[in-house]
Every structure is written in C-alpha cells, then in structure tokens.
Amino acid sequence: MEEYAIIMENVDWTYEGGTEKAIRNINLKIKKGEIVVITGPSGAGKSTLCYCISGLIPHFFRGELRGEVIVSGYNVRQTPLKVLSKEVGICFDNPSNQLFCATVLEEVAFGPENICVSRDEVIERVRDAIKLCRLEEYKDKSPHALSGGLKQSTAIAAIMAMRPNIFVLDEPTSNLDPEGTELIFHRIHELMSAQKRTTIIVEHKLEYVLPFADRLIIMSDGEIVANGSVRKVLAESELLQKLEISVPHVTKLAYGICKHLSEDNVPITLEEGMKLLRGVTVRKTMPGLKELKCHSLAGKERKIIIKCENVWYEYPDGTLALKGVNLEINEGELIGVIGQNGSGKTTLAKLLNGLYKPTKGTVIVDGIDTRTVDVGYLARVVGYCFQNPDDQIFAKTVREELEFGPRNLKLPPEEIEQRVKKYAKKLEIHNYLDVSPFTLSQGLRQRVAVASVLTMEPKILIIDEPTTGQDYARSKAIMDLAKELNKEGKTVIIISHDMNLIAEYCDRVVVMWNGKILIEGTTREVFSKPQVLAQSSLKPPQITQLAQILGLPPDILTVDEMIDLLDIKG
Amino acid sequence: MSDIAKFFGYTPLNTIMHRLDPRVKFLWYFAAILPAVAWSDPLFLLGILCMIFICGALAKAENRVMLKIILLPFPGYIMILLYNIFAFDFTVRQMIPWELLYLGWLIPKFNSFGPYGHISLEGLIFTLGVCLRLAIFVSASRLFLKFTSPSDITTALSKLKVPVEFTTTISIAFGYLPELARQVTSILDAQKSRGWRVDSKNPVRIVRAYIPVIIPIVSRSMTRSEFLAAAIVSRGFGTGSRRISLKEASFSLQDYVAFALLMIFLVTSIITGTWVLNIAHFRFTTSIIRQLCNLPAI
C-alpha cells in the first residue's frame, strides 16, 4: 500500500445533470515517483480523472462518485480539500484561467499563504519555486503580461510552492506556441530530474513528453483502454491508430515499415528513428528512392486576391506589431501562417479583414483598399474564424447563429434561409439547427462558428488557430474542411502552431518573426530550411528532421511520403 | 494590447509611490478625492490636479495616458457646461451675494423665441471647478489603481479586520480586469468580423444590438470563473485557517513622512476650504479675474 501514491478502485463518476458516466471502471495504481502520461481523444475523461486525483471531485464538482480513490494514503471522499491541496497540486490547460494575482510573486505566494505555515516558510517556499521555474527576473511583473510559456511556468511555480507530493498537469501546453511548449516541457523535465515526484501529465503532444515518461495510459470513452510502460503501449499500433492518437512521427513510421513491433523496438525520439531507418536503408531501400514532386505554384497564372505593400502596424500603446510586410496571396491558395506568439500573425490577419488599418503601407483585398471601407463591408469578402468559438457564439439557436452574419449584410430572408441550409448541411450540423449552440460539444461549436462565417460566403477564409485545445482527430477534421473549401475555390489562410498539420495540408507557408516575414514559399521550400526556421524557434515536423539528418530529400513532409520513398510498403 | 487594461490595470514597478504602505496609498487617494468634493475653486483644484500629475510622474505613469484619462469623460464635461448655463441662475446663483457678471446668451432672442442660457463669468468658473472635480476623480482613481496592486488592497483591508473571503474576492476582481478587457476586445473583434455594428440612435435598439457581445462575455466569464474557483480551492484557499501574508504591512520612515504630510494636508484643506477661511470657494478665482479685468470687486 505504501509504495503507491495513487490507488483508484472501480471508480465511476457522473457529473450532476449528466446522463452518462464521464469515467467508468477505473482501476489504476501509480507508484510513488512515477511519471505517467495520459492521452486519448477529447471527451475521453482524462480531465475528470485528474479532478478525481486532486479531490476536486467530489469536493468541488457535483455529481455521483462510485469506487474508492486513495491519494497518499488518504481516502479522497473522506478527506477535505484543505488536506488534499497539500498532497496534490493541479495545473490546468489554460494559464489565463488559473492566474489571478497582480504579480508573479503574489501568485506563487497565494497557496502557501493559505495553508498556515510560518511567514519565513512562505518566503522560503516562494523563493525556491520561483528559482526552480526560473522566474526570478519576472517576479514583479504581472502574470497576464507574460508570454504563454511563462504564464504556465508561473502556474506551475504556484503549485510547486505548495510542495505537493503529487503533480497533476492537465494539458499544460494546449494553449501555447511551439516555443512555450518547449519551455514548459524543458521545465517539467528539469523539475522531475531535480526532485522525483509522482507526476501525472495529460497531453496530446506525445513527441515532447514521452522521452521522459515511465508509463503511458490511453483513455477512450471514459475508460482506460491501455496502460503500461511507454513502449509497451506504443507497440499496440492498431489501437493507437484506431483512436487517432498523435504518436511521434518516428513511431508512426515504425507502424508503417515494421511488421513486428514490440516493446524493444518502438522508436520515440529522433535518434531512435535514425537507428530504425539506418538498418532499413542500408539493406535495400536506398536505391528505391523516388523523386518527390514539389507542388510549386510558380508558373501558374492566378489572380492576386490579397496584396500587402510595405505594411506597418502600430498598436495604440506604441507596440510595433508589423514592420514592413510585403505579401501577395493568389486566389485559391491554401496558405499557412506560422510563427511564435507575438510574431505578428494575428495582427496581419486582422489587417486582412479590415479590423485594423495599416499605420503605413497598403492592404488591397479583392481590389479594395482596406483603409477605404469598414470591417462590416469587408466581411462579405473576408471571413474570419476566431480561435475560440465561444468568442462569438451568442444566439438562442444554431440557426440564429448562422443567420447573424448574412443579416448584418442586409441580405433578403430567402437568401439567408437558403445559405443557412446549405452550410449547415455542408458542416453536418443540420440536425442541430434548432438546438442551443451552448449545449453542443466543443468540436460542434467550432463547426457552428465556421459555418456562421461561411454563410456570409466570403471569397477568403481566415482560420485562426483551429487546432488549439483540440485532439488530433478534431484538428484533422477542421483541416480537411479547410482543404475541401479550398478545392471549391476559396482562398484559405490558416494561422497555426501545429507544424505537422501545416506541413500536411498547406500549399504555401509564410513564417512570421518579430513583425516581419522571415521566409515564405511552398511548404516544401520552407520546411527544407531548418536553419532559417530555427531563427524563429520553429522546427520542421519530426519526419522532415529525420530525413534531413539522414541525407534523404529534405522536403519530405509526412510519414506516408517517407514510407513511399523507402518503397517498402507492405 | 487593450486600452482598457492599460487604463485601469496595475503596473508592477518599483517606484516611491509603489513602495508606500497600502494604508498610506488609501490615505493618498482620500487626500486627493475629499478636498475635490469640498472645494469648488478652479485654481485650488488645478493645484490638486498638478499634485496628482507629480505623483503620476513619481509612479512613472505616462503623461499621455494620464491626459487621455482626463479627456475620457469629455461628454460629461459638455453636459456639465450645458447644465450650468441653463440651471446656474436657479441653483448656485441663489447662494451668491454679489451681482453676477453676465457675458451673454447661449441662444439669443429671435422674435418671440428665447433668449435661453444666460452665460455668466461666475457660472463658467463654477463649471470649470466641477469639471476639474471630475478630472481629479478619474485621474486619482486611475493612478491609485496603477500603483496599488490588488493584493495591496487586500492587505490594507485585512488590517482593517475585513474578512479574508471578502478581501480576496476584491483582489481577484481587480486582478481580473485586465484579462476581462482582453476578452472583451477579442469578442468585439469577432463580432465586427461578422459584420456586426451599432448604427442606431435609439437606446433600446442599442442595448439589443449589444446582445451578441454581452452574451459571449458573460458565458466566457462564467467558464473562466469556474476554473478560477477550482484553481483557488486547489491552492488551499478557504481552509478556514489563518492566512499568512507574504507582504508584511509595516510603516517605514518614508511611510510615516507621507502619512504625516497627507494627514496635515487633508485636515487643513478641509478645515480651511470649507469652514474657516472658505478660500476654496470659487469666489477666489472669480475675484482674481475681476481684478485683472478692472471689474468691480465682490
């Protein structure tokens, strides 16, 4: 009993008002000091499991708990939160939702101030946590003014200061850019090496987290469907592929080329991928290399639909967000805009739909100078889907939500009705037209948000961060939709942090850095220049990196391309 | 990037104003606000406004933003001016023992219509004073929020034996302002991108037109508050045990000096301005102007 930090026996939980169990038949034992990664599709019950361990269930959330949860020897059901909060620290996905103090120092101090330790100890704990999370130079700054990565570091430091025996990190990087994600995993890794504590990490970005994990748990539909050492679980290729789990590219490659995968030969890291491929290529596949075709758009005559000429933009507070951007986008392109937070991606997008007017230079959209018209007028040309669907959903029914845009454009009612039907069907939400959008799942709400922009029938569609907080299957679904709309002739601009999806779907990529365009070109051209990308702390997809290290064509973008190239399919 | 956050948020800096004990900060605020309520003379009020700007410079507040804050209630100034032009004769005039210096009519006589809005020197000086009161109120409040962190407010209130649940709620509410401002900007942008605009002058229609903005603000705030509450309880809040504050509220020499100066100012300003010498009444500026223009003294 003593060796286990967490024991869950036959645990079921149903949220109040819910008809289905959010988690069921959970039997789980986690040893002290173990680092456990939990993954699975959205709605699988991962967060609920975290709440059970932290005691938020049943003490904060209401519902029905069955079975026993024992944490550090305490029965969670019978132990008040004030005791549990000293044993378990939980960090949520969105840092903005858990920070509420004016400075980093106060934020970190909040926990220890509450738990009745001496003032000297509060000071000592705060100092240690800030040092461990390397926040010394930010301690007097407002947490809200920091970058996403530093915000989440603050949230982690706030929990560190409580000195819990168990850490629970619920998708700590889902709202972060690649740089922030790297920073957080680096920090977690450092913390784990410094003081081995029991750690539960819920995460989709397995590539980053698996190299230092002891155990991997897969959840689906409220149940644990796989549980074991990282490599043992990864070897269950059929299950992972069925659930569309985003495994590291090298692991996916192994699924494609190895007939017998076992705990001993599943690769996770780039180095292991190199080992795997070295064996393969030396034997027989190198001669079978095929020339990859670049889908270059050069030479094709297309109308320029967006033209930015020496565009500068300064926010009212004096922040210079864009510094001389020149960009041409052709009609019918599917273009990806990548870069870290604060690099100017979203500012550029808001200049394209007229929300912002350039401080200097011109933005011409479909022949219209954006300075001469208001955003409402441009809405019929440029549709903008915001990152969070909840920023725009307000209506009583999905139908009203879809009607809102065309009504603002003063279209005749028959036309509006026809458009609502058309796009509801297209996005497969026609069965929910008379339902309140607030009752729908996150994935459906996102589709409602996209549909409500499409009903204005814009020629250009901008989708801002469609993959944030989404699992791989949902992200892919949105990208598939973007691709389909693009095939029908729409110009689609996607702003994203997900290099794998950008590489898989976009024709062309624009890399923003420090308010400027660092590089632009076809997706293959851009990702085959890792040194240039490194300047903005971006990396090509893992499979592209592997190809580049091994001296294979440097513009391989997907695992399937690599498998085709190796010519050993089957 | 939100202006609202910039206007009302706390800026963590290490200035002489920021370092003051929270209780002294509260006293500073009252010392700026209370005389403004008691006095009506534009010259004295201008003096207080200058003091606020000096304190603003000490707290490293940008003058440009401070000026913007003062201009924020511009429609209010116009309303005050119009009100006083039309109502001065029936209100303040009744308490003035001397003859007013009338400058003319806002709306001159036209046939049987008018004249309306009798403009007097005294009326204008009084209006200027009222406008300055408003300017002092907004600029002092803004500056107070700029150098007083929400936890300072909590610390000061705790010292006054206010229950910890209440002080923490206040602190979180203030801390939430900048984040709320960011959220509002984002929601406004999202709806504007769908062609939303308010082009009606009918107040009922305007309120209805804001529904697409208000509902997402409320729904997102509710979602956030649930996570926030979860984060707060998981960090041991509400355990019933005594809360230890990282910041120890203790007076330094600087605090004693500031406290003494502010108390002296507050007491003397109210006494001299209101009851004893009545120098803060707007007749002070009036008589100076009358003298400068060689008009009969009052």
Side-chain angles (χ1 to χ4, degrees):
Chain A
M1 192 89 173
E2 274 299 291
E3 62 177 313
Y4 292 112
I6 300 161
I7 301 170
M8 297 179 86
E9 282 173 354
N10 304 319
V11 175
D12 289 355
W13 168 261
T14 313
Y15 284 98
E16 193 177 69
T19 48
E20 281 179 38
K21 289 173 181 166
I23 51 172
R24 54 176 182 254
N25 306 326
I26 302 290
N27 285 294
L28 180 64
K29 283 181 177 172
I30 294 172
K31 284 184 189 152
K32 283 183 180 164
E34 230 182 329
I35 301 174
V36 181
V37 172
I38 304 177
T39 196
S42 301
K46 305 182 295 292
S47 294
T48 305
L49 188 78
C50 293
Y51 301 157
C52 284
I53 295 169
S54 67
L56 287 171
I57 285 179
H59 300 293
F60 182 79
F61 293 104
R62 288 187 183 167
E64 195 193 340
L65 178 69
R66 287 202 186 144
E68 296 302 332
V69 184
I70 313 287
V71 172
S72 295
Y74 294 101
N75 186 323
V76 166
R77 196 199 298 268
Q78 289 150 10
T79 314
L81 261 179
K82 68 174 173 184
V83 176
L84 290 170
S85 66
K86 293 179 200 169
E87 291 298 323
V88 191
I90 181 166
C91 175
F92 304 100
D93 56 348
N94 189 345
S96 301
N97 282 347
Q98 50 193 321
L99 302 175
F100 44 85
C101 294
T103 64
V104 169
L105 189 75
E106 288 168 15
E107 197 69 61
V108 178
F110 184 84
E113 282 175 338
N114 286 324
I115 54 173
C116 214
V117 291
S118 71
R119 223 182 133 251
D120 288 342
E121 195 178 334
V122 173
I123 294 169
E124 189 199 317
R125 284 177 177 223
V126 171
R127 195 186 52 219
D128 286 355
I130 285 186
K131 195 173 164 203
L132 270 170
C133 294
R134 298 198 198 174
L135 291 163
E136 286 103 330
E137 62 175 300
Y138 309 103
K139 69 180 182 355
D140 295 318
K141 289 202 157 61
S142 160
H144 295 290
L146 301 178
S147 70
L150 289 170
K151 266 189 207 172
Q152 197 60 292
S153 294
T154 308
I156 291 175
I159 290 156
M160 289 287 302
M162 298 284 285
R163 296 196 177 157
N165 291 316
I166 301 164
F167 276 113
V168 180
L169 305 162
D170 187 4
E171 298 197 35
T173 66
S174 73
N175 282 273
L176 305 185
D177 58 8
E179 201 174 19
T181 304
E182 288 257 1
L183 182 119
I184 287 302
F185 284 121
H186 209 78
R187 217 50 93 235
I188 294 173
H189 198 173
E190 271 178 6
L191 293 174
M192 296 310 124
S193 326
Q195 31 181 281
K196 198 139 171 114
R197 289 174 198 235
T198 316
T199 308
I200 319 286
I201 310 173
V202 173
E203 193 50 74
H204 291 301
K205 297 170 189 167
L206 298 181
E207 191 181 319
Y208 291 93
V209 75
L210 289 187
F212 59 86
D214 299 317
R215 192 156 24 141
L216 179 61
I217 292 174
I218 313 284
M219 289 187 74
S220 175
D221 277 334
E223 284 183 297
I224 291 177
V225 289
N227 176 9
S229 77
V230 170
R231 285 168 208 275
K232 193 177 152 208
V233 173
L234 280 183
E236 293 187 38
S237 60
E238 267 180 37
L239 174 77
L240 291 161
Q241 283 175 310
K242 190 183 122 204
L243 293 174
E244 296 196 71
I245 303 292
S246 169
V247 293
H249 272 174
V250 290
T251 315
K252 199 173 167 192
L253 179 66
Y255 292 165
I257 63 175
C258 297
K259 278 183 183 154
H260 304 290
L261 265 185
S262 73
E263 209 173 329
D264 307 320
N265 66 356
V266 175
I268 299 171
T269 63
L270 212 47
E271 290 72 32
E272 289 165 359
M274 281 159 66
K275 229 192 256 172
L276 172 89
L277 271 200
R278 264 190 202 131
V280 175
T281 46
V282 167
R283 266 190 287 123
K284 54 180 181 180
T285 51
M286 278 303 276
L289 283 175
K290 292 170 193 162
E291 190 60 37
L292 273 170
K293 274 184 198 165
C294 282
H295 300 291
S296 175
L297 293 158
K300 288 183 187 171
E301 272 303 311
R302 277 178 167 177
K303 185 187 153 198
I304 295 170
I305 194 156
I306 291 173
K307 190 171 186 178
C308 298
E309 270 182 322
N310 189 30
V311 172
W312 292 69
Y313 185 75
E314 189 184 333
Y315 279 95
D317 67 357
T319 311
L320 206 51
L322 289 186
K323 303 168 188 166
V325 169
N326 289 297
L327 179 66
E328 281 180 6
I329 297 176
N330 297 311
E331 195 168 17
E333 268 190 295
L334 176 54
I335 190 164
V337 182
I338 58 177
Q340 303 295 349
N341 286 345
S343 60
K345 308 183 298 289
T346 298
T347 308
L348 177 66
K350 288 184 175 176
L351 277 153
L352 299 184
N353 88 329
L355 267 171
Y356 299 160
K357 311 292 176 194
T359 320
K360 214 166 90 182
T362 49
V363 178
I364 311 284
V365 177
D366 199 27
I368 307 162
D369 185 335
T370 59
R371 282 173 307 185
T372 59
V373 287
D374 72 352
V375 54
Y377 183 85
L378 268 181
R380 60 195 84 212
V381 186
V382 187
Y384 195 132
C385 297
F386 276 67
Q387 182 181 341
N388 191 337
D390 297 339
D391 269 355
Q392 59 173 73
I393 284 178
F394 74 96
K396 284 201 281 287
T397 62
V398 171
R399 185 189 304 279
E400 266 183 54
E401 195 69 50
L402 264 54
E403 285 171 351
F404 181 68
R407 260 202 203 140
N408 287 333
L409 301 183
K410 310 260 187 301
L411 295 177
E414 314 80 63
E415 169 88 24
I416 295 176
E417 202 189 323
Q418 191 200 334
R419 284 190 186 188
V420 168
K421 272 189 194 155
K422 180 177 163 190
Y423 290 102
K425 186 131 193 146
K426 186 165 193 63
L427 277 99
E428 294 169 22
I429 47 171
H430 51 286
N431 290 332
Y432 304 100
L433 276 176
D434 296 312
V435 172
S436 162
F438 291 100
T439 60
L440 300 178
S441 69
Q442 165 91 7
L444 280 171
R445 285 209 302 281
Q446 188 141 23
R447 271 196 258 164
V448 171
V450 175
S452 70
V453 170
L454 287 177
T455 48
M456 292 191 285
E457 299 205 330
K459 286 185 184 171
I460 304 160
L461 187 67
I462 301 173
I463 310 179
D464 198 349
E465 303 288 1
T467 59
T468 302
Q470 307 274 356
D471 63 19
Y472 183 66
R474 263 199 218 155
S475 304
K476 253 181 98 66
I478 293 174
M479 295 303 273
D480 283 334
L481 175 71
K483 186 105 200 162
E484 201 188 318
L485 291 165
N486 175 249
K487 273 187 191 156
E488 288 170 13
K490 280 206 195 312
T491 308
V492 181
I493 301 168
I494 290 170
I495 302 172
S496 180
H497 290 318
D498 193 324
M499 298 302 133
N500 296 352
L501 287 174
I502 289 280
E504 200 176 330
Y505 285 89
C506 295
D507 305 329
R508 193 150 76 100
V509 173
V510 174
V511 184
M512 299 287 298
W513 178 69
N514 197 17
K516 293 176 191 159
I517 291 177
L518 181 67
I519 178 176
E520 60 151 319
T522 64
T523 310
R524 285 179 201 282
E525 281 163 10
V526 170
F527 283 123
S528 58
K529 289 174 183 152
Q531 296 88 345
V532 184
L533 285 174
Q535 217 178 314
S536 64
S537 307
L538 295 174
K539 280 183 192 163
Q542 196 188 37
I543 201 72
T544 314
Q545 290 178 50
L546 183 67
Q548 286 162 357
I549 293 171
L550 292 177
L552 299 171
D555 54 1
I556 288 174
L557 296 176
T558 63
V559 174
D560 289 342
E561 279 179 4
M562 179 67 109
I563 294 170
D564 282 348
L565 181 82
L566 294 171
D567 204 19
I568 52 164
K569 230 178 182 177
Chain B
M1 299 296 166
S2 160
D3 276 357
I4 310 171
K6 207 170 152 55
F7 278 166
F8 300 110
Y10 167 66
T11 318
L13 288 171
N14 188 17
T15 72
I16 188 166
M17 297 301 288
H18 286 76
R19 281 195 301 270
L20 285 176
D21 183 276
R23 286 163 290 181
V24 180
K25 290 179 183 179
F26 267 96
L27 186 66
W28 175 89
Y29 184 59
F30 289 124
I33 296 289
L34 292 181
V37 177
W39 298 356
S40 59
D41 190 86
L43 275 177
F44 283 96
L45 292 171
L46 200 61
I48 295 185
L49 195 62
C50 288
M51 283 306 296
I52 292 171
F53 268 75
I54 291 168
C55 293
L58 289 175
K60 290 194 181 155
E62 277 176 66
N63 278 335
R64 198 166 57 104
V65 182
M66 289 289 281
L67 283 172
K68 264 193 190 173
I69 274 285
I70 287 180
L71 291 176
L72 204 64
F74 189 73
Y77 300 143
I78 300 292
M79 292 285 284
I80 292 168
L81 178 67
L82 290 176
Y83 174 78
N84 278 311
I85 286 174
F86 288 101
F88 190 77
D89 273 359
F90 315 103
T91 53
V92 188
R93 169 80 187 88
Q94 310 300 320
M95 291 173 272
I96 299 174
W98 70 89
E99 271 303 301
L100 296 194
L101 178 74
Y102 284 107
L103 305 170
W105 295 92
L106 183 68
I107 302 161
K109 188 172 167 55
F110 186 74
N111 292 336
S112 60
F113 179 77
Y116 294 113
H118 211 175
I119 304 170
S120 63
L121 176 71
E122 282 76 3
L124 289 180
I125 291 170
F126 180 79
T127 303
L128 189 61
V130 180
C131 290
L132 277 168
R133 276 181 184 168
L134 188 57
I136 287 169
F137 181 75
V138 289
S139 56
S141 304
R142 190 262 167 182
L143 193 60
F144 175 73
L145 290 178
K146 191 178 169 68
F147 65 65
T148 311
S149 102
S151 73
D152 275 351
I153 299 172
T154 320
T155 313
L157 292 175
S158 316
K159 287 274 162 190
L160 301 168
K161 307 283 178 218
V162 177
V164 65
E165 286 76 13
F166 181 76
T167 55
T168 310
T169 311
I170 296 274
S171 158
I172 291 166
F174 275 102
Y176 180 44
L177 277 180
E179 187 56 29
L180 179 72
R182 262 182 282 273
Q183 220 165 66
V184 171
T185 312
S186 173
I187 290 165
L188 280 170
D189 280 355
Q191 302 303 41
K192 277 188 210 161
S193 304
R194 294 164 79 195
W196 170 83
R197 67 179 103 184
V198 181
D199 44 15
S200 173
K201 288 195 174 66
N202 177 336
V204 179
R205 287 219 177 130
I206 290 175
V207 172
R208 279 179 63 108
Y210 270 95
I211 287 174
V213 176
I214 293 164
I215 290 179
I217 292 174
V218 173
S219 77
R220 290 210 58 185
S221 296
M222 277 164 65
T223 315
R224 186 178 187 272
S225 63
E226 187 168 45
F227 274 103
L228 209 57
I232 290 166
V233 293
S234 359
R235 283 201 243 154
F237 183 72
T239 54
S241 45
R242 192 170 63 90
R243 219 170 169 265
I244 308 292
S245 183
L246 178 74
K247 283 188 185 171
E248 206 173 25
S250 63
F251 267 42
S252 64
L253 179 67
Q254 192 189 317
D255 291 313
Y256 280 113
V257 173
F259 186 82
L261 288 176
L262 289 167
M263 278 309 279
I264 293 168
F265 171 74
L266 198 57
V267 173
T268 51
S269 69
I270 291 176
I271 293 172
T272 56
T274 319
W275 297 296
V276 185
L277 301 168
N278 208 18
I279 58 163
H281 192 264
F282 72 99
R283 68 185 293 172
F284 183 79
T285 305
T286 315
S287 53
I288 291 177
I289 292 177
R290 280 185 170 243
Q291 259 179 9
L292 288 175
C293 301
N294 285 328
L295 295 166
I298 50 176

